[in-house]
Amino acid sequence: MGNESINWDKLGFDYIKTDKRYLAHWHDGEWDKGTLTEDNQLHISEGSTALHYGQQCFEGLKAYRAKDGSINLFRPDQNAARMQRSCSRLLMPHVPTEQFIEACKQVVRANERFIPPYGTGGALYLRPFVIGVGDNIGVRTAPEFIFSVFCIPVGPYFKGGMKPHNFVISSYDRAAPQGTGAAKVGGNYAASMMPGSEARKYGFADAIYLDPLTHSKIEEVGSANFFGITHDDQFITPKSPSVLPGITRLSLIELAESRLGLKVIEGDVFIDKLDQFKEAGACGTAAVISPIGGISYKDKMHVFHSETEVGPVTQRLYQELTGIQFGEIEGPAGWIVKV
Ligand code: PLP
Ligand code: COI
């Protein structure tokens, strides 16, 4: 069955109820094998730790309709591993990698009619999550857990897609120095909602956060990682225990070095040294690669390559990454998992 009701060219990043989602339960020390269900409502205890104490984590990955008609997942093993790390940080049980990938595949197959056609630039965004549920009131790990995966067809995360966007440095922190910044947990995103909404109110795409200890170095965007390209062609991306280790970032680190011949540095990006960059960008599953036109800091706008034109290095990284995801270019071994 096709999907005539969706205008693939107009997709943004909005909830659409798709046909089926995967649902598994953990009790008595193990996960059940999970099922697909049409119901998009969860029935959980009012005492669920996910509701009160933020005991939950999530992932984001995409399924792509490839050039040859097959369906690609991009590095799902990395999402499974990151979700296991997030679960460890919040004292939740790991979902085994095989179950994670199998759940993603089942959801993609059951919702195949929602995969944006090749050439539209869209993809099927998968949202796996683990939540603590069951009757409880104390601040302790939940007696039961749910692991679910649902999916949504998406287009660009930032309006307008692959064009430069302006960002603003927030005076708030999204995570504490030894907190949960490196885990993909809801609390970090709850903390980013007010700064993000203020940023958008003033016309910026999103807020950028500085390191929570000294407020002198760029950490990341509320929903993506930061990278900059220096005038002498180094790819620099912040290294910090409170930054989410993005899979797009990890992939760009490899591609920048092996395919573009850039020197890669994971290190400090001081906010008063933005002049070293000729280009900058935000990278993530939802954001893909979004060129950063300028960054506003203390009421001054620092423009990188241009506020309207995409820089050549950013463009090449984008072509390489999306080329691999859509099956136009051979990727490094193991990056593409066929559904
Ligand atoms: N940083 C934050 C705060 C994010 O929400 C995301 C998106 O998942 C990323 C970075 C990029 O991570 P990934 O490339 O794995 O999507
Ligand atoms: C993602 O890129 O998967 C994200 O998590 C970003 C945002 C939608 C939270």
Side-chain angles (χ1 to χ4, degrees):
M1 190 169 41
N3 212 331
E4 291 75 27
S5 59
I6 294 179
N7 187 343
W8 303 111
D9 298 321
K10 292 258 152 58
L11 281 176
F13 199 84
D14 299 299
Y15 185 85
I16 293 171
K17 186 183 175 221
T18 51
D19 291 339
K20 300 255 175 79
R21 67 274 306 114
Y22 174 93
L23 195 59
H25 292 87
W26 184 95
H27 34 76
D28 299 332
E30 59 184 357
W31 291 104
D32 64 24
K33 75 183 219 338
T35 51
L36 290 176
T37 163
E38 282 177 19
D39 189 3
N40 72 338
Q41 307 290 316
L42 292 172
H43 186 79
I44 59 173
S45 169
E46 62 192 357
S48 294
T49 56
L51 299 178
H52 303 273
Y53 307 129
Q55 195 186 26
Q56 66 84 244
C57 67
F58 67 97
E59 274 303 321
L61 69 162
K62 284 173 172 171
Y64 305 82
R65 178 67 75 183
K67 196 175 178 189
D68 66 2
S70 61
I71 305 167
N72 289 346
L73 288 175
F74 185 69
R75 310 190 79 177
D77 54 320
Q78 294 289 333
N79 293 92
R82 186 170 64 190
M83 199 168 83
Q84 289 160 3
R85 296 196 298 272
S86 299
C87 283
S88 288
R89 182 65 181 82
L90 296 198
L91 224 53
M92 302 197 285
H94 287 189
V95 174
T97 302
E98 311 76 66
Q99 184 169 5
F100 180 96
I101 295 177
E102 179 53 30
C104 291
K105 286 183 177 177
Q106 284 186 24
V107 169
V108 173
R109 286 190 199 111
N111 296 287
E112 189 171 349
R113 71 191 184 99
F114 289 96
I115 305 175
Y118 172 75
T120 59
L124 192 69
Y125 181 75
L126 302 178
R127 174 51 66 85
F129 61 98
V130 173
I131 57 176
V133 297
D135 296 344
N136 178 70
I137 192 62
V139 182
R140 66 170 75 87
T141 192
E144 293 165 30
F145 295 88
I146 284 177
F147 165 50
S148 180
V149 183
F150 66 92
C151 69
I152 300 167
V154 297
Y157 182 69
F158 295 119
K159 247 199 165 87
M162 180 53 177
K163 68 175 185 66
H165 291 86
N166 290 340
F167 292 79
V168 59
I169 299 291
S170 177
S171 53
Y172 293 101
D173 299 320
R174 67 181 280 283
Q178 302 298 326
T180 54
K184 203 161 168 63
V185 302
N188 300 337
Y189 295 83
S192 76
M193 281 184 193
M194 191 176 70
S197 140
E198 278 181 12
R200 285 185 289 276
K201 192 167 92 192
Y202 291 103
F204 298 101
D206 204 346
I208 288 181
Y209 297 89
L210 298 179
D211 72 287
L213 202 56
T214 69
H215 283 194
S216 64
K217 299 175 266 186
I218 287 188
E219 288 238 318
E220 64 186 319
V221 184
S223 51
N225 290 120
F226 175 91
F227 69 86
I229 310 294
T230 63
H231 294 286
D232 57 352
D233 282 330
Q234 296 180 354
F235 176 100
I236 305 188
T237 184
K239 187 179 175 69
S240 154
S242 44
V243 165
L244 187 79
I247 293 151
T248 317
R249 170 191 185 277
L250 179 72
S251 306
L252 291 184
I253 284 174
E254 289 190 49
L255 296 176
E257 197 161 59
S258 66
R259 303 210 174 173
L260 274 73
L262 305 176
K263 181 164 183 231
V264 171
I265 297 174
E266 290 181 73
D268 293 333
V269 175
F270 288 98
I271 187 63
D272 59 2
K273 298 236 164 65
L274 294 182
D275 279 347
Q276 66 178 312
F277 299 116
K278 58 179 178 183
E279 296 178 36
C283 63
T285 299
V288 193
I289 292 179
S290 299
I292 298 180
I295 292 180
S296 173
Y297 178 55
K298 295 192 171 160
D299 291 330
K300 279 207 190 90
M301 178 67 104
H302 178 94
V303 175
F304 295 96
H305 179 74
S306 152
E307 283 181 90
T308 50
E309 305 287 321
V310 181
V313 182
T314 306
Q315 185 71 49
R316 277 221 49 211
L317 285 168
Y318 180 87
Q319 278 161 351
E320 201 65 40
L321 177 74
T322 58
I324 293 168
Q325 292 168 333
F326 285 105
E328 298 154 356
I329 302 174
E330 188 74 24
W335 281 23
I336 294 298
V337 172
K338 292 284 177 196
V339 173

